[in-house]
Amino acid sequence: MNNQKAFLGINLDLLENPKYKNLDSRAMMLYALYADRYSASMNNARLGNTAFVDDMGVFIRFTNELAAKVLHVSKQKVTDFRKELSDLDLIKVVREGLKGYKIYVYPVQQTPSNVELLLPWKNHTITVQKVTSDWTILSKIEFCKNLKLSTQNVDISVSRISESTCSSKTDTSLSHSSLSHVFLNNNGLDNNARAREENEIQPNQSNKNPYHSLPEKIKNSFVDVFGFITKPMAIELHSLISQSNEDMVNYVITSSKGHKITNAIAYIKAAITNALKRGDKCAQDMINFYNNNVKNTFTGYKKSLSKRFMSEEEVNAMIKKDEEEMRQNDPEFYARLQEIKRRNAEKAKRKPVIPIYKLGY
């Protein structure tokens, strides 16, 4: 069997839970398609792409035409299956525009513990717990200290029996096949064991989420203005805080509320960069620059726009002035214009003639 092929997984709770006993098997496949697409949207959201995120959460777009081709059924059947899923609270469909739809995928309800499973041989829930043993590293160091060798090829890699915990009595295997070194004294073995210990500790430190180390003020303001914070965003925010300070970054975030900003991190980075170029040292310097330069500029622009519009009296006075200048400079053209205006006024006063016919009996 080739394990490299992609497959579509069916949640076994759809088969076991009595709540879904009347659900069509093809509707289950449709839900599996939705769940697969939902995982892609969720992955994009974690990477910072909010194209499939709104106020209600992460959504997908999956047309009935595509689903009908995949399931080899008609579009009407797909509509029926989608209604079944919606009635069971597995999905929620929201219309977007005239023909578009947003689909929100909800998790399958777990089978109650008092229900007898139809497939008892299958593990419905798998719990994986990773436990790191401190003795594994210490045993290497103690082993190296107790060795009394002059020159010998020794592999000090320790293989652990697959158990959740291990003690000092656990069997170890020494093999010359994978990793062999030449040690002249015990100090070399100690240094090698210490280097391995550092290499095993570093990955655990790199797995820390930078979101948790962000200041609470930054997290609250960012979530209020832009939404959730992904790991790349948290890394960028840490970099901006180190370049400037916490108050400056927080001011940029809070002052951008109400504006249409497509890329929050790029906007904050540009604002902090410009502030540092101006020589701003704190958030108050940024506020002073805004009040003295940006705010007054836009206020004057808005005031100047109001002078473009004229009242009805001003327009009539300007027309009369132009007609008087025309009468003095070009009397003939003025007379023709007055004749045209007179005829238009007479046409407006005329009423249409409605013929009345006498009906005979």
PDB file of all heavy atoms in Angstrom, residues 207-219:
ATOM      1  N   ASN A 207      10.760  26.272  21.318  1.00  0.00           N
ATOM      2  CA  ASN A 207       9.342  26.006  21.103  1.00  0.00           C
ATOM      3  C   ASN A 207       8.440  26.964  21.866  1.00  0.00           C
ATOM      4  O   ASN A 207       7.224  26.822  21.822  1.00  0.00           O
ATOM      5  CB  ASN A 207       9.020  24.555  21.510  1.00  0.00           C
ATOM      6  CG  ASN A 207       9.653  23.561  20.555  1.00  0.00           C
ATOM      7  OD1 ASN A 207       9.846  23.872  19.385  1.00  0.00           O
ATOM      8  ND2 ASN A 207       9.977  22.392  21.061  1.00  0.00           N
ATOM      9  N   LYS A 208       8.989  27.907  22.649  1.00  0.00           N
ATOM     10  CA  LYS A 208       8.174  28.837  23.388  1.00  0.00           C
ATOM     11  C   LYS A 208       7.423  29.760  22.457  1.00  0.00           C
ATOM     12  O   LYS A 208       7.976  30.256  21.482  1.00  0.00           O
ATOM     13  CB  LYS A 208       9.058  29.646  24.340  1.00  0.00           C
ATOM     14  CG  LYS A 208       9.680  28.808  25.458  1.00  0.00           C
ATOM     15  CD  LYS A 208      10.493  29.682  26.388  1.00  0.00           C
ATOM     16  CE  LYS A 208      11.112  28.854  27.515  1.00  0.00           C
ATOM     17  NZ  LYS A 208      11.929  29.680  28.423  1.00  0.00           N
ATOM     18  N   ASN A 209       6.170  30.026  22.776  1.00  0.00           N
ATOM     19  CA  ASN A 209       5.333  30.896  21.950  1.00  0.00           C
ATOM     20  C   ASN A 209       5.622  32.349  22.305  1.00  0.00           C
ATOM     21  O   ASN A 209       5.475  32.742  23.474  1.00  0.00           O
ATOM     22  CB  ASN A 209       3.858  30.577  22.193  1.00  0.00           C
ATOM     23  CG  ASN A 209       2.956  31.227  21.161  1.00  0.00           C
ATOM     24  OD1 ASN A 209       3.374  32.147  20.459  1.00  0.00           O
ATOM     25  ND2 ASN A 209       1.745  30.754  21.061  1.00  0.00           N
ATOM     26  N   PRO A 210       6.064  33.186  21.351  1.00  0.00           N
ATOM     27  CA  PRO A 210       6.379  34.587  21.682  1.00  0.00           C
ATOM     28  C   PRO A 210       5.159  35.393  22.070  1.00  0.00           C
ATOM     29  O   PRO A 210       5.293  36.489  22.597  1.00  0.00           O
ATOM     30  CB  PRO A 210       7.017  35.109  20.382  1.00  0.00           C
ATOM     31  CG  PRO A 210       6.464  34.234  19.305  1.00  0.00           C
ATOM     32  CD  PRO A 210       6.300  32.875  19.929  1.00  0.00           C
ATOM     33  N   TYR A 211       3.964  34.884  21.811  1.00  0.00           N
ATOM     34  CA  TYR A 211       2.750  35.622  22.167  1.00  0.00           C
ATOM     35  C   TYR A 211       2.637  35.812  23.677  1.00  0.00           C
ATOM     36  O   TYR A 211       2.225  36.873  24.160  1.00  0.00           O
ATOM     37  CB  TYR A 211       1.520  34.891  21.632  1.00  0.00           C
ATOM     38  CG  TYR A 211       0.211  35.423  22.152  1.00  0.00           C
ATOM     39  CD1 TYR A 211      -0.358  36.564  21.595  1.00  0.00           C
ATOM     40  CD2 TYR A 211      -0.450  34.798  23.198  1.00  0.00           C
ATOM     41  CE1 TYR A 211      -1.553  37.060  22.074  1.00  0.00           C
ATOM     42  CE2 TYR A 211      -1.643  35.288  23.681  1.00  0.00           C
ATOM     43  CZ  TYR A 211      -2.195  36.420  23.115  1.00  0.00           C
ATOM     44  OH  TYR A 211      -3.379  36.911  23.592  1.00  0.00           O
ATOM     45  N   HIS A 212       3.014  34.791  24.446  1.00  0.00           N
ATOM     46  CA  HIS A 212       2.837  34.847  25.893  1.00  0.00           C
ATOM     47  C   HIS A 212       3.760  35.860  26.546  1.00  0.00           C
ATOM     48  O   HIS A 212       3.450  36.363  27.634  1.00  0.00           O
ATOM     49  CB  HIS A 212       3.076  33.461  26.494  1.00  0.00           C
ATOM     50  CG  HIS A 212       2.148  32.407  25.964  1.00  0.00           C
ATOM     51  ND1 HIS A 212       0.781  32.457  26.147  1.00  0.00           N
ATOM     52  CD2 HIS A 212       2.373  31.291  25.217  1.00  0.00           C
ATOM     53  CE1 HIS A 212       0.213  31.411  25.575  1.00  0.00           C
ATOM     54  NE2 HIS A 212       1.155  30.688  24.999  1.00  0.00           N
ATOM     55  N   SER A 213       4.889  36.171  25.923  1.00  0.00           N
ATOM     56  CA  SER A 213       5.822  37.126  26.508  1.00  0.00           C
ATOM     57  C   SER A 213       5.535  38.570  26.103  1.00  0.00           C
ATOM     58  O   SER A 213       6.240  39.479  26.529  1.00  0.00           O
ATOM     59  CB  SER A 213       7.257  36.764  26.112  1.00  0.00           C
ATOM     60  OG  SER A 213       7.399  36.727  24.696  1.00  0.00           O
ATOM     61  N   LEU A 214       4.502  38.791  25.274  1.00  0.00           N
ATOM     62  CA  LEU A 214       4.138  40.162  24.921  1.00  0.00           C
ATOM     63  C   LEU A 214       3.514  40.866  26.114  1.00  0.00           C
ATOM     64  O   LEU A 214       2.831  40.242  26.925  1.00  0.00           O
ATOM     65  CB  LEU A 214       3.140  40.158  23.755  1.00  0.00           C
ATOM     66  CG  LEU A 214       3.673  39.923  22.349  1.00  0.00           C
ATOM     67  CD1 LEU A 214       2.522  39.807  21.365  1.00  0.00           C
ATOM     68  CD2 LEU A 214       4.609  41.038  21.921  1.00  0.00           C
ATOM     69  N   PRO A 215       3.697  42.180  26.234  1.00  0.00           N
ATOM     70  CA  PRO A 215       3.030  42.922  27.318  1.00  0.00           C
ATOM     71  C   PRO A 215       1.513  42.845  27.169  1.00  0.00           C
ATOM     72  O   PRO A 215       0.978  42.842  26.056  1.00  0.00           O
ATOM     73  CB  PRO A 215       3.550  44.363  27.137  1.00  0.00           C
ATOM     74  CG  PRO A 215       4.815  44.223  26.353  1.00  0.00           C
ATOM     75  CD  PRO A 215       4.630  43.035  25.477  1.00  0.00           C
ATOM     76  N   GLU A 216       0.827  42.796  28.304  1.00  0.00           N
ATOM     77  CA  GLU A 216      -0.631  42.673  28.287  1.00  0.00           C
ATOM     78  C   GLU A 216      -1.283  43.858  27.585  1.00  0.00           C
ATOM     79  O   GLU A 216      -2.292  43.708  26.903  1.00  0.00           O
ATOM     80  CB  GLU A 216      -1.159  42.546  29.723  1.00  0.00           C
ATOM     81  CG  GLU A 216      -0.827  41.226  30.393  1.00  0.00           C
ATOM     82  CD  GLU A 216      -1.516  40.054  29.701  1.00  0.00           C
ATOM     83  OE1 GLU A 216      -2.603  40.254  29.138  1.00  0.00           O
ATOM     84  OE2 GLU A 216      -0.951  38.952  29.710  1.00  0.00           O
ATOM     85  N   LYS A 217      -0.699  45.035  27.739  1.00  0.00           N
ATOM     86  CA  LYS A 217      -1.266  46.225  27.103  1.00  0.00           C
ATOM     87  C   LYS A 217      -1.225  46.101  25.588  1.00  0.00           C
ATOM     88  O   LYS A 217      -2.185  46.473  24.898  1.00  0.00           O
ATOM     89  CB  LYS A 217      -0.494  47.463  27.574  1.00  0.00           C
ATOM     90  CG  LYS A 217      -1.002  48.766  27.020  1.00  0.00           C
ATOM     91  CD  LYS A 217      -0.408  49.947  27.769  1.00  0.00           C
ATOM     92  CE  LYS A 217       1.106  49.947  27.704  1.00  0.00           C
ATOM     93  NZ  LYS A 217       1.679  51.150  28.340  1.00  0.00           N
ATOM     94  N   ILE A 218      -0.142  45.580  25.065  1.00  0.00           N
ATOM     95  CA  ILE A 218      -0.016  45.410  23.613  1.00  0.00           C
ATOM     96  C   ILE A 218      -0.998  44.350  23.126  1.00  0.00           C
ATOM     97  O   ILE A 218      -1.670  44.525  22.100  1.00  0.00           O
ATOM     98  CB  ILE A 218       1.426  45.017  23.250  1.00  0.00           C
ATOM     99  CG1 ILE A 218       2.401  46.133  23.643  1.00  0.00           C
ATOM    100  CG2 ILE A 218       1.553  44.713  21.762  1.00  0.00           C
ATOM    101  CD1 ILE A 218       2.211  47.417  22.876  1.00  0.00           C
ATOM    102  N   LYS A 219      -1.103  43.237  23.842  1.00  0.00           N
ATOM    103  CA  LYS A 219      -2.013  42.171  23.421  1.00  0.00           C
ATOM    104  C   LYS A 219      -3.465  42.643  23.413  1.00  0.00           C
ATOM    105  O   LYS A 219      -4.211  42.380  22.471  1.00  0.00           O
ATOM    106  CB  LYS A 219      -1.837  40.956  24.333  1.00  0.00           C
ATOM    107  CG  LYS A 219      -0.520  40.228  24.155  1.00  0.00           C
ATOM    108  CD  LYS A 219      -0.534  38.881  24.833  1.00  0.00           C
ATOM    109  CE  LYS A 219      -0.455  39.009  26.325  1.00  0.00           C
ATOM    110  NZ  LYS A 219      -0.271  37.700  27.005  1.00  0.00           N
TER     111      LYS A 219
END
